[in-house]
Amino acid sequence: PSVSKPWAPRSIGAPLWLGLLACLQERKVRRAAVARSANRRAVLSAAVIPVLPASPSASSASGEASSGTTAPSVVRTLWGSESGLTAQAVEQWAAAFADDCVYEDLYYAEAAVGRDAVKALLRKKLLPPGSRLIIDRISDGRLSCGFTWHIEQSGTGIGQRGLSFLKVDSRGLISYIREVGEPLFKAGELTEKLLEALTKDQPAKSPESASQAGAAQETPTTAGGIVRYLYGTVQQAGGDAVRFYADDVVYEDMNYEEPFVGRSQVEAFLGRFQKIEGVTFVLEEVSDGDQAVGFTYHIAVAGQPRGIRGVTFYEVDGRGKVCYVRDVPESPAKPPPVQQLARLIRPGLRRLQPASPLPGDVCGQDPLLR
């Protein structure tokens, strides 16, 4: 939403006004959080999903880099280290990247290409004293993986959450990363209304397409197989997507204030998007894990010149049902203006959300990191 309200005092400079607006919004959200705290704790205690042990294929030597280094091991070594990214560690981190690497931090308009550009980007990403990035989940995999994370700041609590997708080359060096943090403001159902308005003149799918979907119905049980089936066959021709989700699934779409908890909530959420014609979720790269995957995508909107990029994380339980999802789309503004101001004022906490965890937050307790 625009912050240039008609009642905004003209005597106050834009950066200061945005800062005041951010503070007022944060107070409002925190007051609401106090009223919901009892219910949230009850849901949180029932909905947090532990990460299962890595699948056997994740340690298969046939899929590893020639150095024996896997994508998840690189994540644990760098992002999972106790000290994290510091000014003293920038050179060490940069040495883990290939000469021709590409680092897409979707907070910025342009990707960092090449080791020197990545080194400069890493310096921009340094957190202030008392703040650190903590990994929550890492997918299994060999040459690629996804991992979810959050920022914590001493005295403040859990800050911005996010998601990254990473690939290594045959030498075990990082060749590609796409990273995105959650938006400071949540558009929520306004996102659905906007997409409906942009695509209102698009024709509906023909009945023949739906009947073809039923004939070709499959039931994959790995995370990668489910992702490719849902965003391939089911998206193109229709079908029952909800059958792939566990009864206690936690679905975090970072455009919304609260996660969707349970199959019925996820069914209602997905159903609203399935009714919008002219919006196509285009898979780009899917990591090579079985139990969990990260994948990159862009959303193509009919009649619009540019798509919306993002990263998603899918995890399945022991029955092959999706038990956890985190989806983070990019912000259309580069960098997001209010979020940029928040980085200057409180860089360790870049979202106007309560400091208490939400369902699905595992707060660094991923057993793969132990």
Side-chain angles (χ1 to χ4, degrees):
S2 173
V3 296
S4 56
K5 303 288 185 183
W7 40 265
R10 296 188 178 184
S11 59
I12 299 179
L16 178 57
W17 174 246
L18 289 174
L20 292 174
L21 179 62
C23 291
L24 289 173
Q25 178 68 10
E26 182 171 12
R27 287 183 180 179
K28 179 180 178 181
V29 172
R30 288 184 182 277
R31 288 194 192 103
V34 171
R36 300 193 306 264
S37 60
N39 180 60
R40 170 176 290 172
R41 289 190 181 94
V43 176
L44 176 61
S45 63
V48 171
I49 302 169
V51 176
L52 301 173
S55 65
S57 62
S59 58
S60 172
S62 62
E64 293 180 0
S66 58
S67 64
T69 303
T70 64
S73 69
V74 170
V75 172
R76 295 187 196 103
T77 299
L78 296 178
W79 286 265
S81 65
E82 185 67 28
S83 57
L85 176 61
T86 63
Q88 295 75 24
V90 167
E91 293 291 339
Q92 176 189 349
W93 277 56
F97 287 79
D99 291 334
D100 58 350
C101 59
V102 176
Y103 197 134
E104 282 187 321
D105 184 335
L106 297 188
Y107 178 81
Y108 298 98
E110 301 294 334
V113 180
R115 185 177 290 163
D116 289 340
V118 167
K119 192 184 302 183
L121 175 62
L122 291 174
R123 291 195 177 98
K124 292 180 182 179
K125 296 169 73 64
L126 293 174
L127 294 172
S131 303
R132 58 178 299 207
L133 184 147
I134 296 177
I135 296 175
D136 296 322
R137 288 175 163 88
I138 306 176
S139 71
D140 56 319
R142 298 164 294 279
L143 296 179
S144 56
C145 72
F147 62 100
T148 67
W149 49 264
H150 71 271
I151 292 174
E152 286 190 7
Q153 185 172 29
S154 179
T156 305
I158 296 175
Q160 185 191 41
R161 300 163 298 169
L163 178 56
S164 302
F165 172 89
L166 176 144
K167 290 173 57 180
V168 297
D169 62 18
S170 60
R171 299 164 296 169
L173 297 175
I174 301 170
S175 59
Y176 175 72
I177 294 181
R178 178 179 289 182
E179 180 176 279
V180 57
E182 69 178 311
L184 194 65
F185 290 110
K186 316 291 191 183
E189 293 185 6
L190 290 177
T191 303
E192 302 166 30
K193 300 300 182 185
L194 175 61
L195 290 175
E196 288 174 353
L198 291 173
T199 60
K200 60 183 177 62
D201 296 326
Q202 295 300 311
K205 292 186 178 71
S206 63
E208 290 77 9
S209 297
S211 62
Q212 291 172 4
Q217 190 175 86
E218 301 173 19
T219 308
T221 56
T222 64
I226 290 172
V227 165
R228 291 185 177 89
Y229 184 66
L230 288 178
Y231 296 104
T233 302
V234 174
Q235 178 178 229
Q236 293 170 5
D240 181 13
V242 181
R243 66 190 176 95
F244 289 99
Y245 293 89
D247 292 336
D248 56 353
V249 60
V250 174
Y251 195 120
E252 294 180 318
D253 185 313
M254 294 299 181
N255 267 326
Y256 295 79
E257 294 284 1
E258 302 282 348
F260 302 98
V261 180
R263 185 188 291 180
S264 60
Q265 287 192 15
V266 171
E267 181 177 16
F269 168 64
L270 295 179
R272 296 197 299 269
F273 274 94
Q274 288 174 341
K275 294 177 182 178
I276 303 175
E277 304 292 348
V279 176
T280 305
F281 194 107
V282 182
L283 285 181
E284 295 174 344
E285 296 196 67
V286 182
S287 68
D288 53 12
D290 293 328
Q291 176 204 359
V293 293
F295 60 94
T296 62
Y297 67 84
H298 68 271
I299 300 173
V301 181
Q304 302 304 308
R306 180 180 176 276
I308 302 168
R309 296 171 297 171
V311 188
T312 301
F313 186 97
Y314 264 62
E315 181 183 325
V316 297
D317 60 20
R319 300 167 299 158
K321 298 292 185 180
V322 178
C323 59
Y324 175 74
V325 177
R326 175 176 288 184
D327 177 36
V328 190
E330 68 178 327
S331 171
K334 303 292 184 180
V338 179
Q339 190 160 316
Q340 183 182 33
L341 183 65
R343 278 192 171 185
L344 297 175
I345 298 174
R346 299 174 68 186
L349 184 64
R350 298 200 301 270
R351 67 185 177 109
L352 299 183
Q353 286 287 99
S356 56
L358 292 171
D361 292 342
V362 295
C363 305
Q365 299 304 309
D366 186 341
L368 294 177
L369 298 177
R370 297 174 184 171

